[in-house]
Amino acid sequence: SLIGRLMFKLPEEMGLIAVAVRQTQGKGRGGNVWLSPMGCAMSTLHISIPLHSNLGQRIPFIQHLVSLAVVEAVRSIPGYEDIELRVKWPNDIYYSDLMKLGGVLVNSTLIETTFHILIGFGFNVSNSNPTICINDLIAKFNREEGTELKPLSADCLIARTVTVLERLVEIFQEKGPKGVLPQYYKYWVHSGKRVRLRSEEGPLAWIVGIDDYGYLQVHQEGKGVQSVHPDGNSFDMLRNLIVPK
């Protein structure tokens, strides 16, 4: 991609963002295709993270910070705090826990002592298909609450997302995971949810949070709290979670 080639030719301090109006070759996790019709906010952002920093030691956290930044971009606007936009671990943006309306994909390359991170994110702003979009949620909120919140634009939300992300990265670099997790948990869909470990008939566990490296933590009866990883095969990241040996 153009941005992938450009990122090593720019001065360290210079950020780089590409914004697509319409995208036909979008990539999802595990080779899935992300289709992006008009009305979808899509961006690829380049940031540099020193290896010997809080975030450099916990690169998987970046996708959580970006998901949180998208949600915050909307819910930090006065009047929009109760729009039901949420984060689903590890890298999805959801309407409540019902429907996906965006996602995040992070690629990192370590060169000497700096991680060059390419962050792709896309979320539905004004396109009701293929699922639901942020402006649908705002219209629904207006109907139910009698408010007159205005629809939002993709450009505005991309800009807000990048601004919020910069602040989250700063806080993380200063305080580590504990600086951002309270906010993340406020918006995530998993509080008190149950998952199966290893297979559809596997033991039940309760989701309790994420660990210092961004992996999911679950509580299994008699086993205490364990960190788990996706099995890599399921379309849904929360199916068949694996307890690492």
Side-chain angles (χ1 to χ4, degrees):
S1 71
L2 175 64
I3 195 165
R5 295 196 299 274
L6 268 178
M7 71 178 181
F8 303 117
K9 298 187 169 70
L10 288 173
E12 267 304 285
E13 305 68 59
M14 191 167 168
L16 185 63
I17 185 165
V19 177
V21 177
R22 190 150 179 277
Q23 181 177 291
T24 51
Q25 301 287 312
K27 289 187 171 52
R29 186 181 270 278
N32 293 316
V33 176
W34 173 261
L35 294 175
S36 311
M38 297 294 279
C40 183
M42 289 156 304
S43 258
T44 305
L45 176 68
H46 167 243
I47 60 173
S48 302
I49 303 287
L51 167 63
H52 302 294
S53 65
N54 267 326
L55 197 48
Q57 296 294 302
R58 300 172 178 82
I59 289 295
F61 247 101
I62 291 176
Q63 59 192 343
H64 310 321
L65 297 186
V66 182
S67 304
L68 175 57
V70 171
V71 172
E72 278 264 288
V74 174
R75 299 187 66 169
S76 63
I77 302 172
Y80 293 74
E81 297 90 347
D82 295 324
I83 300 296
E84 263 298 298
L85 200 59
R86 296 194 169 269
V87 290
K88 181 182 176 195
W89 183 92
N91 62 338
D92 288 334
I93 293 120
Y94 259 62
Y95 155 48
S96 182
D97 59 353
L98 300 171
M99 216 177 285
K100 176 172 173 168
L101 53 70
V104 175
L105 200 64
V106 173
N107 281 313
S108 59
T109 310
L110 182 61
I111 297 178
E112 291 169 3
T113 59
T114 304
F115 276 110
H116 287 268
I117 315 285
L118 277 181
I119 299 163
F121 59 91
F123 50 93
N124 299 332
V125 180
S126 56
N127 53 307
S128 298
N129 292 317
T131 56
I132 195 168
C133 67
I134 288 168
N135 285 337
D136 289 344
L137 302 189
I138 293 168
K140 177 177 183 291
F141 187 81
N142 283 338
R143 282 196 306 274
E144 290 170 1
E145 303 296 325
T147 46
E148 293 181 12
L149 298 176
K150 293 193 165 42
L152 300 170
S153 75
D155 293 356
C156 155
L157 289 181
I158 289 170
R160 287 185 68 88
T161 298
V162 174
T163 305
V164 173
L165 179 62
E166 283 180 339
R167 198 189 75 235
L168 289 171
V169 168
E170 274 172 25
I171 294 169
F172 197 102
Q173 293 296 38
E174 193 186 321
K175 301 182 176 167
K178 69 176 187 298
V180 298
L181 280 177
Q183 201 63 356
Y184 184 77
Y185 291 145
K186 180 178 158 189
Y187 293 132
W188 86 333
V189 298
H190 305 293
S191 297
K193 290 269 173 35
R194 295 187 308 180
V195 287
R196 293 263 178 202
L197 302 182
R198 291 183 287 283
S199 74
E200 300 290 319
E201 290 77 47
L204 268 178
W206 300 90
I207 296 178
V208 292
I210 54 182
D211 69 14
D212 263 5
Y213 293 91
Y215 292 111
L216 207 62
Q217 287 179 309
V218 299
H219 182 265
Q220 191 185 343
E221 285 293 321
K223 294 270 175 76
V225 173
Q226 300 161 292
S227 291
V228 292
H229 300 223
D231 69 357
N233 301 318
S234 309
F235 182 68
D236 182 347
M237 303 294 287
L238 288 168
R239 288 170 75 137
N240 310 336
L241 289 161
I242 292 171
V243 181
K245 296 286 175 281

